[in-house]
Amino acid sequence: MLFQRSLAARRAMLLASTASAVVMSALWTLPAHAEEDEVSPVLIPELVIDAPEEDSADSRIIAVEEISGQPARDAGELISRIPGVSAGRRGGHGSDISIRGMAQDRIAVISDGAYVFGACPSRMDPPTSSMMPMSGDSITVRRGYQTVLDGPPAPAGTVSLERADSANFAEGLSGNLEGGYESNGSQRYASMQARAVHNGSYIRGFFTGRRADNYEDGDGREVRSAFKQYGGGGEVGLRYGADSLLSLSMEENHVVDAYFAGAGMDAPWTATDTYRLAVDHNFAEAGVFKGFDASVYGSFVDHVMDNYSLRTPGMMTMRTDATSDTRGARLAGDFAFGAVEVTLGGDYRRNDRDAVSYSSMMGAVPPTTISNYMWPGMEIENVGIFAEVKAPLTEKTELTTGIRTDFVSVRATKADALPGGMGAVTARTLYGTFYGVTETDQDETNVSGLVRVMHDFGDFSGWVGASRAVRTADATERGIVRAPAMGGGGWVGNPGIDPEKHHQVDMGVEITRSVWKASTSIWYDNVQDFISRDIARGQSGVLVNDGVSSVFRNVDAELAGIDIAAQWAFAPSWRIGADIAYTYGENTTDDRPLYQIPPLSGSLELTYDVTEWSAGSRLRWAAKQSRSDTSTVTGSGLDLQETSGYAVIDLFGTWQLADALMLQGGIANVLDTTYASYLNQENGFDPTVVQVNEPGRSAYLQLNFEF
């Protein structure tokens, strides 16, 4: 029954399988040709697989410095350069990533072990916007649901910024400094990381600062995108016993005066503070019980957005003050029964989101009348217990199985708070009006699990997996409140919404040779009770039929896709690489495309690399996207338009000036192409364009010093 839901989905999977087979068959002939030409092996950092039992083409650990391109304006933009990851923008800061056609809280974002949730109901500050990439050493991207150990299920995948174990660093003082400039938007930035290590114990500190003006698109039109960002932090680690570690980390990140062309407000202030205490204990003489890890953390986000601080105020002024506070803990034990490894444990996570909107019809600055309790004190508490087992079935085959149960408790503490102004109603009243549901306290018990088999075929390795991931609704889907006003539509969450149940299957192969490597994966996701944002038309479970208000409802959906990546050192010092990703999404309940599904896209890169310097060219491209949910009459209207395809050329290079000093530079969008990502938001400032366009031509230089 799982694969009989949609003929279009089966066709998409057949196309994906055929394309995969053709690419892999073509690449299979490359080694003989390479050997005849006596091509020397080269290191391909972007696709290095460190541990087959943990990493595959769908799970990559990438050093931060290996993600190339022009200076990223935030971590979301940086991560979107990893194959299989897309992003949408509404300005220069706050790129919102998408994996497997899913975004927002369907992706888990973890910064050094701490979960982070944004504090803006309109997602001006997605979690990746508060991450400081240079404060870490690597980024792990898992696509799909691959482990039960990462906390409450995130069916799209997990993005984790991680810091390297101090055991990997030499004794004494080390670190790096970097700074640079980009011409389009006059972006300038600097960062520092320093660490001192003694007998495995360490102390490290980091700082980053970045600011940019508005950039121009390929047609020379100014895009409202300026921002300032600065932050820093530190970590102390005590090494003891049999390679055990106790660590404490703290960091603070501020984004100031962020301009947004794709929003009705700007963000004069966003601050994120994160704290974490962790212990990783390993027994000196381990028996069945090998060790355990435990941690507690907190991430606290304050956000202010308004329509008057950074733009000319009109007669109606608006401001929203919002917070998102997350606290969590984790305890897990590692056991070994012969060759079988078992991890047992539990985790706790609580996210409290509160947002209060103010407005004034008389142009008052600041406005003081409470118009909405937009997040009416939403508290989502999750207690999870989990078990994951890794067992060798044969010398070359490994089985991973996992199961977790999440106990979810939801409260809306301000559901009965009455805003000011004429005709004001409470959140509870609006829930009843839109859905006939007035009970905001909800409890769920959600069971998720997975099974995954990896096999070494000798010439190549492969894997096949199946999983069930149950995701509870987030604070917006469950409880957001913006009352209809002056003929405009409301935006009302559904406190009775059911959790999503994702049933995913995936399979893939990867091949590694001395001068080339390639990987491909194919996946399919059947979703029961997909939480869909829609327009109120009196659908099942929706009592309002005004054709303008935004609501949330459960539908059934299907997603499928393919990812392919390959690199080949075809001559001494020369390397060519390519990647391609395609995602298909369908709302099977309403028989229409799922919204915000990126089109077929990829890149092609040619690089010449010798000891002292390297240079290359990259082609970034996306095909036309005609499967859109653009209609506000019969659809959600969340897709702005069908986008045409585009191709953008970049040039880049590096020069090793000295052993510890490197100069990087290049020109992004050499041909000054005007284009927008399919996921970009509507441009509310320029009536001549529909979406927020990407930057036009931009030259950049960056200097990096290691010590």
Side-chain angles (χ1 to χ4, degrees):
M1 292 296 295
L2 202 64
F3 289 93
Q4 295 176 353
R5 299 296 307 278
S6 167
L7 176 61
R10 296 199 302 273
R11 288 175 175 171
M13 292 300 293
L14 179 60
L15 176 62
S17 302
T18 303
S20 174
V22 169
V23 171
M24 301 307 291
S25 297
L27 288 171
W28 194 266
T29 64
L30 294 179
H33 176 77
E35 290 172 2
E36 289 172 4
D37 291 344
E38 297 182 352
V39 179
S40 302
V42 298
L43 177 65
I44 308 176
E46 293 83 356
L47 293 176
V48 168
I49 306 302
D50 297 320
E53 69 274 12
E54 296 181 356
D55 299 338
S56 67
D58 274 351
S59 181
R60 296 181 178 176
I61 302 175
I62 304 174
V64 172
E65 64 270 17
E66 297 294 349
I67 305 177
S68 61
Q70 71 268 35
R73 289 171 170 81
D74 66 5
E77 184 177 306
L78 182 73
I79 294 167
S80 70
R81 297 173 188 167
I82 299 172
V85 183
S86 303
R89 72 164 74 242
R90 62 178 70 241
H93 200 271
S95 294
D96 212 351
I97 62 173
S98 173
I99 300 175
R100 291 190 170 182
M102 294 175 279
Q104 301 188 15
D105 288 346
R106 294 182 178 94
I107 302 173
V109 177
I110 306 172
S111 181
D112 188 34
Y115 279 84
V116 182
F117 293 94
C120 177
S122 298
R123 295 190 68 84
M124 291 178 177
D125 66 336
T128 51
S129 69
S130 65
M131 296 169 64
M132 295 182 287
M134 292 313 297
S135 72
D137 299 290
S138 65
I139 295 174
T140 297
V141 176
R142 294 190 181 95
R143 292 181 286 183
Y145 189 53
Q146 296 192 35
T147 178
V148 300
L149 308 181
D150 279 346
T158 300
V159 173
S160 179
L161 178 67
E162 298 169 351
R163 298 189 181 120
D165 192 313
S166 62
N168 297 328
F169 297 111
E171 289 279 301
L173 182 66
S174 63
N176 69 285
L177 299 167
E178 72 172 29
Y181 177 82
E182 182 182 16
S183 63
N184 194 347
S186 297
Q187 182 183 184
R188 48 274 197 206
Y189 56 96
S191 68
M192 175 277 291
Q193 183 175 181
R195 52 191 165 261
V197 181
H198 179 65
N199 292 333
S201 296
Y202 64 91
I203 182 171
R204 81 170 99 195
F206 46 87
F207 169 82
T208 183
R210 185 180 300 267
R211 64 185 300 165
D213 301 329
N214 295 336
Y215 66 72
E216 294 182 351
D217 67 12
D219 289 329
R221 289 178 294 229
E222 186 175 282
V223 177
R224 191 175 177 83
S225 54
F227 68 93
K228 306 180 187 73
Q229 182 174 13
Y230 59 91
E235 182 180 13
V236 177
L238 174 64
R239 181 79 60 183
Y240 68 96
D243 197 29
S244 298
L245 180 67
L246 175 67
S247 62
L248 172 66
S249 63
M250 298 169 285
E251 63 180 88
E252 183 174 300
N253 181 61
H254 294 170
V255 179
V256 182
D257 293 347
Y259 291 64
F260 292 99
M265 297 184 182
D266 299 312
W269 175 258
T270 302
T272 304
D273 298 325
T274 306
Y275 308 90
R276 182 172 181 260
L277 175 66
V279 60
D280 185 358
H281 185 84
N282 298 286
F283 294 106
E285 298 181 2
V288 172
F289 189 18
K290 297 172 57 180
F292 67 89
D293 63 87
S295 63
V296 293
Y297 67 87
S299 62
F300 307 95
V301 186
D302 293 320
H303 175 77
V304 177
M305 58 180 176
D306 65 42
N307 69 345
Y308 55 83
S309 293
L310 304 175
R311 60 181 75 182
T312 303
M315 284 303 298
M316 184 173 186
T317 54
M318 298 179 292
R319 185 180 89 249
T320 297
D321 298 340
T323 60
S324 176
D325 298 337
T326 307
R327 300 169 179 86
R330 183 180 188 273
L331 174 63
D334 296 321
F335 302 83
F337 301 91
V340 178
E341 298 179 356
V342 180
T343 301
L344 301 174
D347 50 44
Y348 171 83
R349 189 180 77 190
R350 173 172 168 163
N351 177 239
D352 298 344
R353 298 197 214 188
D354 192 86
V356 182
S357 295
Y358 301 85
S359 64
S360 172
M361 297 295 294
M362 304 303 294
V365 175
T368 56
T369 301
I370 296 177
S371 55
N372 291 286
Y373 290 97
M374 204 164 183
W375 278 329
M378 297 300 300
E379 300 176 355
I380 302 179
E381 193 171 39
N382 193 109
V383 177
I385 54 175
F386 52 81
E388 189 163 289
V389 179
K390 292 185 178 181
L393 300 181
T394 68
E395 184 179 346
K396 295 186 176 182
T397 305
E398 182 180 77
L399 171 69
T400 300
T401 59
I403 187 169
R404 70 174 287 134
T405 301
D406 291 284
F407 304 94
V408 182
S409 178
V410 183
R411 305 289 181 266
T413 62
K414 295 182 179 179
D416 296 312
L418 185 65
M422 295 182 59
V425 295
T426 66
R428 193 182 304 275
T429 299
L430 281 171
Y431 299 149
T433 300
F434 275 76
Y435 307 104
V437 177
T438 57
E439 181 55 63
T440 58
D441 293 354
Q442 303 287 340
D443 296 292
E444 299 171 359
T445 300
N446 301 325
V447 179
S448 305
L450 60 89
V451 58
R452 198 168 185 86
V453 178
M454 300 190 70
H455 182 76
D456 182 0
F457 291 92
D459 291 334
F460 62 95
S461 61
W463 69 92
V464 60
S467 65
R468 168 186 166 90
V470 182
R471 182 189 76 91
T472 194
D474 64 22
T476 297
E477 297 161 334
R478 196 183 290 275
I480 198 165
V481 172
R482 188 182 67 200
M486 299 179 62
W491 185 12
V492 182
N494 185 348
I497 200 85
D498 291 328
E500 292 180 347
K501 296 90 175 176
H502 291 254
H503 303 94
Q504 299 187 49
V505 292
D506 65 347
M507 61 184 300
V509 295
E510 61 182 20
I511 308 168
T512 302
R513 294 290 185 271
S514 61
V515 295
W516 67 276
K517 59 172 57 183
S519 63
T520 183
S521 63
I522 306 170
W523 58 273
Y524 172 82
D525 186 3
N526 181 282
V527 193
Q528 297 173 0
D529 295 321
F530 182 89
I531 300 172
S532 176
R533 183 174 171 180
D534 210 342
I535 295 175
R537 300 189 189 88
Q539 304 98 321
S540 176
V542 179
L543 304 182
V544 172
N545 185 8
D546 62 9
V548 290
S549 290
S550 289
V551 295
F552 294 91
R553 51 190 284 260
N554 290 119
V555 301
D556 291 337
E558 289 180 328
L559 297 106
I562 181 171
D563 301 275
I564 303 173
Q567 292 198 18
W568 177 32
F570 62 92
S573 301
W574 286 94
R575 181 173 75 242
I576 188 170
D579 62 81
I580 184 171
Y582 173 73
T583 301
Y584 166 92
E586 178 79 2
N587 176 338
T588 57
T589 295
D590 300 328
D591 193 26
R592 68 183 192 227
L594 276 181
Y595 52 81
Q596 293 291 278
I597 302 295
L600 176 72
S601 61
S603 68
L604 178 66
E605 183 175 304
L606 177 66
T607 306
Y608 180 80
D609 190 355
V610 293
T611 303
E612 297 83 8
W613 61 276
S614 66
S617 177
R618 180 187 302 108
L619 173 69
R620 296 179 282 123
W621 61 272
K624 177 181 179 180
Q625 178 58 291
S626 57
R627 300 194 76 256
S628 301
D629 185 10
T630 57
S631 175
T632 57
V633 178
T634 60
S636 70
L638 292 176
D639 291 332
L640 296 174
Q641 62 177 345
E642 296 183 1
T643 54
S644 58
Y646 65 82
V648 178
I649 297 175
D650 303 331
L651 300 177
F652 56 89
T654 64
W655 183 18
Q656 195 73 44
L657 300 174
D659 288 343
L661 190 63
M662 176 181 288
L663 180 66
Q664 297 173 284
I667 303 175
N669 194 357
V670 173
L671 301 181
D672 213 13
T673 302
T674 301
Y675 71 105
S677 165
Y678 181 74
L679 303 180
N680 287 3
Q681 297 298 304
E682 179 180 8
N683 191 326
F685 267 81
D686 191 339
T688 65
V689 295
V690 177
Q691 292 174 279
V692 177
N693 281 334
E694 295 292 315
R697 184 187 300 117
S698 187
Y700 62 93
L701 282 175
Q702 176 176 299
L703 193 63
N704 185 289
F705 174 70
E706 294 186 356
F707 59 90

